[in-house]
Amino acid sequence: MQSAPTVPLVAIACGGTGGHLFPGLAVAEVLTHSGCAISLLISPKGVDQQAVQSVAGMEVLTLPAVGLVDGQIGPFVRGFWQSYRVAKQRFKARPPQAVLAMGGFTGAPPILAGNGVGAATFFHEANAIPGRANRWLAPFVDAAFIGFSSAARRLHCHKVKTTGTPVRRQFHSMDAASCRVNLGLDADRPVLLVMGGSQGASAVNLLVIQSLTLLSAQSPDLQFLHLSGASDFKKVRDAYGAHPLKAAVRPFLAEMELALGAATVAISRAGASSLAELAAMRVPVVLIPYPSAADNHQFYNAWAFVESGAARMLEQEKATPEMLAEMIKGLMEKPDLRDGMKEALAKWHQSDAAGQIAAQILEAMARNGVCFPTPAGQSDQSGLDPVRSEGAKMQTANAG
């Protein structure tokens, strides 16, 4: 009697920022439905630890990796080596059949450890300018997935596929009135959403605070949803309290789909994951790229959206309250302009990004002889293996 195949394991290194973690979770969800076990490899940072608290049915492993901050090479090298040893030990105990890195400093050690146990290896690069870790990893992986097609020429990789950046399945068109009520706002008044990424952005917070007098004067009906980050929460809340404005100020919001669903216009950094979520929910946006991002990649992310008509941009060093207020006024008062931006945003959204990445991983595992058990309670009457079944699901989604 032939023994049942074991459940194949995919390790996904997705720590460091929400921009790495949440797209990794989107891919993990698809792979789980395709019969895989998932091991999430994250960093010790608070944003990672908080985000995975709601994750169920997946192993979570914290790696001691640290980013290269202010040229401090010593802590970076120690963290890299320790993370490699932890991943190697874990993979020796239970070898994964595939390893996917979602970018950032937690990605390289698991890829190298995965190569050591014969796993198929991949990474996803979400930004227009690939990060240093992924540029270095490119020759060592079987394939790279990218969010911006322009990133391909900077990656010396065996195979590169433009998939877009995955978003979680809750990011879809929603009723704005219901989202606003859920957040304590008025259902029928326009909303300006302010967000600075998973940890807030002090410069964006300050610029908006300085613009409140102008914004309230030119748009008396405007209400605000401001995600400040923990460090600026009190300062931002007090600033709104000094004006006769309807505002909901939060340090952090787990249900980002509600925030985007409520928004008429947004102000945002230009991280790739935030852009993917804005595109998925068609929110017109003023982008203020983080000027200290590695290789100024947020500027190039933003510029790609601006060139396509999907966004407006202010550079942080040049932005003034008057410039921001005028830009917001133009978007709020011109529905046709917003509609044009929504059409452009739609072209940036690839609804099957997570499915495309998962299908490539499943294909590679199948080529390596991995067998997929039939999920409990289901009989495999279709004659399709998980790879082909996943492809059929994607074709159906595209046809719809």
Side-chain angles (χ1 to χ4, degrees), residues 166-334:
V167 297
R168 291 161 290 167
R169 62 181 177 177
Q170 60 262 44
F171 289 93
H172 54 76
S173 179
M174 301 177 74
D175 178 65
S178 297
C179 293
R180 292 167 187 170
V181 170
N182 275 326
L183 293 166
L185 298 168
D186 294 341
D188 57 352
R189 292 170 56 188
V191 172
L192 177 61
L193 168 65
V194 183
M195 54 184 189
S198 57
Q199 300 176 76
S202 290
V204 173
N205 291 338
L206 179 60
L207 180 62
V208 173
I209 287 172
Q210 293 172 338
S211 306
L212 288 180
T213 299
L214 292 168
L215 289 167
S216 59
Q218 70 189 22
S219 304
D221 287 340
L222 185 62
Q223 50 189 346
F224 296 77
L225 173 59
H226 195 131
L227 309 181
S228 64
S231 60
D232 283 352
F233 172 65
K234 184 177 185 302
K235 177 175 69 177
V236 172
R237 183 191 59 189
D238 291 348
Y240 280 97
H243 293 81
L245 297 168
K246 179 78 171 181
V249 180
R250 305 280 188 91
F252 174 81
L253 183 65
E255 302 87 356
M256 273 303 300
E257 69 276 8
L258 290 180
L260 293 169
T264 310
V265 173
I267 297 170
S268 176
R269 287 301 200 194
S273 184
S274 294
L275 292 178
E277 292 169 359
L278 287 158
M281 300 194 68
R282 316 289 194 265
V283 181
V285 60
V286 174
L287 298 172
I288 305 176
Y290 178 48
S292 299
D295 300 314
N296 203 18
H297 70 259
Q298 285 205 9
F299 173 85
Y300 292 99
N301 291 351
W303 185 246
F305 270 57
V306 170
E307 280 193 311
S308 70
R312 298 290 183 269
M313 178 170 66
L314 282 175
E315 293 183 65
Q316 182 173 302
E317 300 89 338
K318 301 175 184 177
T320 66
E322 291 77 16
M323 292 167 65
L324 178 63
E326 187 62 28
M327 198 169 280
I328 296 300
K329 178 182 178 182
L331 291 173
M332 287 292 181
E333 293 181 352
K334 297 176 181 176

Side-chain angles (χ1 to χ4, degrees), residues 40 54 61 68 90 207 211 251 332 344 348 375:
L40 297 175
S54 59
L61 175 65
L68 182 59
R90 181 59 62 95
L207 180 62
S211 306
M332 287 292 181
W348 282 101

